[in-house]
Amino acid sequence: MTLHKGGTERARERRPHPVNPFYGEADPVAGMETAPPRYTLPEGPISPHNAYQFVHDELMLDGNARLNLATFVTTWMEPQADVLMTECRDKNMIDKDEYPRTAELERRCVAMLANLWHAPDPAAAMGCSTTGSSEACMLAGMALKRRWARRNHDRYPGTARPNLVMGANVQVCWEKFCNFWEVEARQVPMEGDRFHLDADSAAALCDENTIGVIAVLGSTFDGSYEPVAEICAALDALQERTGLDVPVHVDGASGGMIAPFLDPDLQWDFRLPRVASINTSGHKYGLVYPGVGWALWRNQDTLPEELVFRVNYLGGDMPTFALNFSRPGAQVAAQYYTFLRLGREGFRAVQQATRDVACSMAEQIGALGDFRLLTQGDQLPVFAFTTADHVTSFDVFDVSRRMKERGWLIPAYTFPPNRQDLSVLRVVCRNGFSLDLADNFVADLEQLLTELRRQSAPLGRPENVATAFHH
Ligand SMILES: *Cc1c(COP(=O)(O)O)cnc(C)c1O
């Protein structure tokens, strides 16, 4: 979470300020006269009604999630899912003994994913729920590192320093993993029109200290799928040449729940023998509210036993693999709900509708003439675009800032090495973002363009431009 520095109230805020007389419950005149302090624990209690109203009013200023084209995370679920999540909000995932049925639903979700991702022996696949893909990636990275350390116990700890090979377009969780677990991040830069990892560069960066290669399905920068099968083939060739056997982890945070339904012939999962583990975010295209991810390993060999902890379960013990201990069970129940509710055909229909919206929107934006599409929304339902070469009066940052005036959140950011010269806008389509909303977006953009074209020059990019929009 954001690492906050302690705050104090500014002088203006410290003065007791009056509050709405209606906050005096039954008697507006005898009600509270000053608002409670904001950065110190209030001296005494207030009524639940007032506490609710304060928090509620403050949160009104948050954005409208449905108009947010920046995030991959689910912003709408059916009312039945809300009910189910409310019913489960007091359940702690780790109390397997107290909540054996929640544990069972988690097990079923893992089994369904193992089957969906073509584990050769679904019964032998291992997996768990997590708080999201980031935690899942930490776990998968730890398993890769431990397996490598075992194979190299004569050199590590000691002289060898482990490394992990990835594209410069990876999500920030992989930089975190490398930082936290002291692994060198070997990143393949973008070159020209190649905006993600390619097979030859990946294999070229591998050596005897490589714990694995991360292949992303798909990239958060532009929604493109990395060529997982080609990467595996290049590593097969490397093994033939050198004997190095480098496993692949697929970061399927988004694509793990898109490709199985929309691109069934694409070979990216456990069908490729080199793929040791896969993660996905249940709260992205798994269609569940924030707080759930999944990590799966091909079999027991790919998940070292010594990383597994055991918790009490109905008098026996149950293996667990997690960074957290306590965690809400509601998201896991909601994930099982979406699996049960939609089935394969339902998922296919939902994801296809989302991809249709993305493709249609990309096409319309391309047709405006002011932009150049980098991707078309036909892999992840996500696309990136930049201003066309002839456009000199405005830039992507102007578009992002001005669209916010109309309520649309669309991030602008620069690409990582070696394409820091390229700044883009990115649209993430999700279930709930309808064709109607997409048409409204394009209409608003078109109207804005008549103003932007009249600018004499871009109005200046913000000073601290993010080099990666990491949602
Ligand atoms: C979103 C994302 C992550 C991080 O996932 P969380 O579920 O937000 O923790 C990791 N990798 C990729 C490719 C992503 O898109």
Side-chain angles (χ1 to χ4, degrees):
M1 285 301 100
T2 312
L3 194 54
H4 296 285
K5 261 164 95 178
T8 49
E9 288 178 85
R10 286 164 289 176
R12 181 171 58 78
E13 294 167 340
R14 250 193 320 271
R15 263 183 288 131
H17 52 281
V19 296
N20 187 340
F22 274 110
Y23 286 11
E25 293 237 17
D27 177 2
V29 179
M32 197 187 337
E33 285 177 356
T34 59
R38 273 175 277 205
Y39 294 100
T40 52
L41 193 64
E43 280 305 317
I46 57 177
S47 73
H49 166 82
N50 287 354
Y52 171 81
Q53 206 60 49
F54 276 119
V55 180
H56 174 85
D57 287 0
E58 183 127 25
L59 291 175
M60 267 186 345
L61 295 174
D62 276 345
N64 180 342
R66 297 278 296 276
L67 301 184
N68 184 350
L69 296 176
T71 182
F72 283 88
V73 174
T74 301
T75 46
W76 182 82
M77 288 186 80
E78 293 170 302
Q80 288 82 354
D82 291 341
V83 174
L84 201 55
M85 290 183 80
T86 307
E87 287 168 3
C88 295
R89 70 186 154 197
D90 58 342
K91 298 195 183 188
N92 186 349
M93 272 314 295
I94 198 72
D95 284 339
K96 310 287 181 198
D97 215 12
E98 192 170 354
Y99 306 116
R101 300 323 294 172
T102 309
E104 170 62 16
L105 296 192
E106 181 187 32
R107 186 206 315 273
R108 291 183 199 168
C109 288
V110 167
M112 287 183 187
L113 287 172
N115 179 264
L116 188 68
W117 294 340
H118 301 98
D121 178 4
M126 314 280 289
C128 57
S129 69
T130 59
T131 52
S133 276
S134 299
E135 186 189 8
C137 293
M138 299 299 140
L139 301 181
M142 278 160 63
L144 290 177
K145 185 180 175 194
R146 188 59 64 95
R147 285 172 63 205
W148 169 87
R150 266 193 194 166
R151 289 195 303 273
N152 293 277
H153 58 90
D154 51 328
R155 302 187 301 120
Y156 181 87
T159 49
R161 178 160 185 234
N163 68 69
L164 184 63
V165 171
M166 60 189 85
N169 55 303
V170 287
Q171 209 265 356
V172 68
C173 71
W174 290 107
E175 283 152 37
K176 280 189 193 170
F177 168 77
C178 288
N179 181 346
F180 296 169
W181 273 272
E182 304 192 327
V183 170
E184 179 199 346
R186 289 204 176 157
Q187 297 198 337
V188 173
M190 295 180 172
E191 297 293 351
D193 289 336
R194 178 174 60 67
F195 301 126
H196 57 222
L197 188 62
D198 72 302
D200 291 341
S201 317
L205 279 189
C206 293
D207 60 22
E208 68 281 7
N209 295 332
T210 302
I211 64 171
V213 172
I214 304 304
V216 182
L217 199 87
S219 175
T220 52
F221 281 88
D222 62 358
S224 63
Y225 291 162
E226 288 190 337
V228 188
E230 282 176 35
I231 291 168
C232 288
L235 294 173
D236 290 345
L238 177 78
Q239 184 172 10
E240 254 172 51
R241 269 198 324 276
T242 65
L244 290 176
D245 182 7
V246 180
V248 168
H249 171 82
V250 180
D251 179 354
S254 300
M257 292 305 290
I258 294 285
F261 306 110
L262 300 189
D263 312 287
D265 297 330
L266 183 73
Q267 301 260 332
W268 65 275
D269 55 14
F270 290 124
R271 279 169 287 183
L272 301 167
R274 198 165 283 281
V275 171
S277 46
I278 301 174
N279 69 275
T280 198
S281 294
H283 55 220
K284 291 185 177 174
Y285 293 105
L287 308 175
V288 178
Y289 285 134
V292 64
W294 300 94
L296 265 75
W297 289 265
R298 167 181 293 277
N299 51 36
Q300 271 179 322
D301 298 342
T302 47
L303 175 55
E305 171 68 18
E306 70 265 26
L307 294 176
V308 173
F309 284 76
R310 293 175 187 278
V311 298
N312 190 43
Y313 180 63
L314 302 178
D317 66 11
M318 181 178 253
T320 66
F321 191 22
L323 298 181
N324 299 64
F325 189 68
S326 301
R327 239 189 64 211
Q331 283 79 359
V332 168
Q335 183 76 80
Y336 186 69
Y337 168 86
T338 64
F339 287 169
L340 197 65
R341 161 87 172 100
L342 292 175
R344 273 183 194 258
E345 274 312 301
F347 261 102
R348 201 196 57 72
V350 168
Q351 313 300 39
Q352 185 67 54
T354 306
R355 190 144 90 179
D356 288 347
V357 171
C359 290
S360 143
M361 211 170 154
E363 200 183 315
Q364 292 184 65
I365 288 174
L368 294 173
D370 294 68
F371 299 106
R372 177 166 66 86
L373 293 171
L374 302 185
T375 41
Q376 278 73 36
D378 56 353
Q379 294 188 333
L380 293 187
V382 170
F383 60 97
F385 55 105
T386 187
T387 44
D389 289 342
H390 68 268
V391 171
T392 53
S393 60
F394 64 92
D395 64 12
V396 294
F397 300 99
D398 290 331
V399 175
S400 173
R401 196 178 56 250
R402 295 294 311 277
M403 284 299 274
K404 215 179 275 174
E405 291 168 8
R406 294 159 198 249
W408 301 105
L409 272 181
I410 169 172
Y413 51 91
T414 56
F415 268 15
N418 291 328
R419 286 308 311 269
Q420 298 98 323
D421 58 304
L422 183 60
S423 302
V424 307
L425 292 154
R426 186 194 66 194
V427 168
V428 175
C429 293
R430 300 186 307 280
N431 173 245
F433 188 71
S434 61
L435 212 48
D436 275 351
L437 278 172
D439 289 346
N440 283 328
F441 175 92
V442 177
D444 277 352
L445 180 61
E446 199 168 2
Q447 226 176 41
L448 177 63
L449 284 175
T450 58
E451 287 176 44
L452 291 178
R453 288 177 191 136
R454 286 202 296 267
Q455 286 183 185
S456 52
L459 293 183
R461 54 165 64 189
E463 256 172 42
N464 296 314
V465 169
T467 326
F469 198 81
H470 279 304
H471 286 301

